[in-house]
Amino acid sequence: MIHRKLIWLSLAALPLMVSACKKDKSEGTPTGMPSTITIENVLDSRPLVESGTFKNTGASPVIMPGEAISFEFSAAKGQALSFATMYGWSNDLFFAPQNPGITLYKADGTPISGDVSEQIKLWDNGTRINQAPGAAVSHPGAAETSPGNISQVMGTDLQGNRYAAASSLMKATLQYKGNSTFSLTIENTSGATSNPTPFSPGVWAISYIAGGNLLNPNPLFESGKPSANGLTSIAEMGNNTPLAEYIKGQTGIFTPLSPILVVVYNGIDNPIYKIGESDRGKGLKELAQKGDATGLAAYLKNLSGVKAVYVLPAANSTILLPKIGAQAGSSVSQQLSVTQGDRLAIATMYGFSNDWFFASKENGVDASQKGDISGSIALYDNGTALNQFPGAGITQFNLAGTPLEESKPIQLVPNPNTFTTLPDINKMIKVTLQ
């Protein structure tokens, strides 16, 4: 379970630090119509940024001695790759790295490539009585009378059966392919040992990291605890479907929103951005890349046609967190004073991206209307930083990276996009006027 308090403390370290500012040019003029804007992070978040399955693509899905499979994934510094696959000629043993998974970056942020087999371990699922490993063990043995906890097999199991080291049975090789993308190749090298065995189809997963802490450091199993969520089907029968379905439900979007820029204007176009134009160099880049709205707010203060500017932090935090478990996402509100003809626009960073930002569509909204105006919000790519998988990019500012500069016009973020499929906008951010 992800504890909301832990997430709050973790995300407090994110560099989305912006002080609130307010400007109202209507001082000394008749009071306008009262209105309150509320912005909520309504995303139903998930702890895993990526997950998937693997199997042999030949005539059989089983990975026999001498065969190998590969899969690709993205990851940021501090994230780790976990996977599980059955030791085929056993009753309930499986291969997996020790939690939180295979280390992907050095301490200085350098991506790791090469042989990582030493990080692979052999585990006893604790649900079946073990027999001597070998081809004769084609069906699970008797169930444990009192199912035990998952434990690492250290040369011999509880019944005294001997096993070669996992790293001699399986070779795991990382390859860094650039732009936070890796591939892992799993090769069955057991044929040259005293314990030849096939590997079953498996599953893999990567947890989000926030404020230096993984949201789920034990995505597939936990040593010393009972098997759960479908892992037993892999360990006993090599069936990866139940666990794959479970982790699919745990995989999706997790992102905070930066402090919200709110602008009331009249007689001019939306002053924040224009689709098809490059970033104007007035502070939107800093909002889109770092969640820092202060520069853009300062510029807008002195722009003709702008009546009021606000930067709104959430209570007890500078950011708006998504829904975490049963806890609702955070929100922020601001009282406004508007007059007939005023228009309203907002902007906030998609926190776990390189330079994506939510904003009111180009013509903004009528500031005097009431109700849910979430339909007026879209997600844009600022075009100033090279994109990576959201929440798994080594150069993303809020994952302790330095964005890689590029220069492209501002555009809508396609959905689905190169990296992932996003929820509908109104399932990520809700904006209301009352």
Side-chain angles (χ1 to χ4, degrees):
M1 176 181 292
I2 302 173
H3 296 287
R4 186 175 179 84
K5 182 178 180 182
L6 172 62
I7 301 304
W8 273 100
L9 293 174
S10 300
L11 289 176
L14 292 177
L16 292 170
M17 297 297 187
V18 183
S19 60
C21 72
K22 176 181 177 180
K23 174 252 191 179
D24 190 345
K25 289 185 177 178
S26 64
E27 291 181 3
T29 62
T31 303
M33 297 174 286
S35 181
T36 299
I37 186 171
T38 299
I39 301 97
E40 303 172 72
N41 188 333
V42 293
L43 176 66
D44 188 1
S45 68
R46 296 290 183 268
L48 302 182
V49 61
E50 287 184 273
S51 64
T53 62
F54 59 85
K55 65 178 181 179
N56 195 337
T57 57
S60 168
V62 174
I63 307 160
M64 298 300 293
E67 297 181 329
I69 61 92
S70 297
F71 57 88
E72 290 189 3
F73 57 93
S74 295
K77 181 183 176 182
Q79 291 177 322
L81 173 69
S82 185
F83 72 83
T85 177
M86 181 187 184
Y87 182 118
W89 285 344
S90 73
N91 290 334
D92 67 341
L93 304 185
F94 65 95
F95 293 97
Q98 198 157 16
N99 285 321
I102 295 173
T103 302
L104 304 171
Y105 291 90
K106 297 178 181 178
D108 64 0
T110 303
I112 294 173
S113 288
D115 191 336
V116 292
S117 306
E118 290 298 326
Q119 296 186 55
I120 310 304
K121 310 298 179 183
L122 185 60
W123 305 87
D124 186 337
N125 195 55
T127 52
R128 295 284 173 174
I129 296 173
N130 294 323
Q131 297 170 307
V137 184
S138 58
H139 299 286
E144 294 279 6
T145 54
S146 297
N149 296 326
I150 294 172
S151 60
Q152 186 177 339
V153 176
M154 308 287 288
T156 60
D157 60 25
L158 296 177
Q159 284 71 37
N161 301 306
R162 297 188 60 81
Y163 298 87
S167 59
S168 68
L169 304 174
M170 172 183 291
K171 182 177 181 181
T173 306
L174 268 181
Q175 180 184 2
Y176 184 64
K177 310 191 80 168
N179 204 29
S180 299
T181 302
F182 295 82
S183 68
L184 181 74
T185 298
I186 296 174
E187 181 182 357
N188 189 332
T189 55
S190 67
T193 73
S194 58
N195 299 127
T197 182
F199 305 155
S200 73
V203 299
W204 60 271
I206 297 172
S207 170
Y208 277 101
I209 189 168
N213 296 308
L214 292 168
L215 300 191
N216 188 350
N218 308 298
L220 303 179
F221 72 98
E222 191 166 355
S223 180
K225 292 190 176 181
S227 183
N229 305 318
L231 178 62
T232 294
S233 292
I234 287 184
E236 292 186 4
M237 297 172 285
N239 177 9
N240 65 348
T241 300
L243 185 54
E245 291 178 349
Y246 170 76
I247 62 171
K248 183 178 180 180
Q250 296 292 302
T251 305
I253 304 301
F254 179 96
T255 188
L257 303 178
S258 69
I260 312 296
L261 175 73
V262 179
V263 185
V264 180
Y265 61 98
N266 197 319
I268 60 173
D269 293 335
N270 185 332
I272 298 174
Y273 75 98
K274 186 175 181 62
I275 288 180
E277 285 188 356
S278 295
D279 184 272
R280 297 167 180 169
K282 303 300 184 181
L284 179 59
K285 171 184 172 181
E286 287 70 28
L287 182 150
Q289 290 189 11
K290 303 178 181 180
D292 183 354
T294 53
L296 183 55
Y299 162 73
L300 293 173
K301 278 185 179 182
N302 298 309
L303 187 66
S304 178
V306 172
K307 299 181 65 177
V309 179
Y310 307 86
V311 179
L312 310 178
N316 302 317
S317 175
T318 59
I319 58 178
L320 274 67
L321 287 170
K323 177 183 177 183
I324 301 173
Q327 298 294 324
S330 50
S331 65
V332 65
S333 296
Q334 175 65 48
Q335 288 187 336
L336 309 173
S337 178
V338 299
T339 58
Q340 191 67 34
D342 286 352
R343 301 197 70 77
L344 180 74
I346 74 163
T348 178
M349 181 188 183
Y350 183 111
F352 284 167
S353 72
N354 296 78
D355 66 341
W356 292 356
F357 65 99
F358 293 99
S360 303
K361 295 176 183 177
E362 280 194 290
N363 61 348
V365 295
D366 180 351
S368 66
Q369 69 176 287
K370 303 297 182 183
D372 189 337
I373 61 168
S374 304
S376 68
I377 308 299
L379 182 62
Y380 299 94
D381 183 343
N382 189 236
T384 54
L386 185 67
N387 289 324
Q388 297 169 332
F389 197 109
I394 186 61
T395 66
Q396 288 167 10
F397 182 79
N398 288 311
L399 293 177
T402 301
L404 298 175
E405 297 293 321
E406 67 174 5
S407 181
K408 293 182 178 179
I410 295 170
Q411 297 291 344
L412 284 165
V413 174
N415 192 25
N417 52 69
T418 304
F419 307 101
T420 188
T421 298
L422 297 166
D424 293 338
I425 297 296
N426 63 4
K427 293 183 178 178
M428 294 186 281
I429 182 172
K430 182 177 181 181
V431 184
T432 54
L433 284 171
Q434 300 296 337

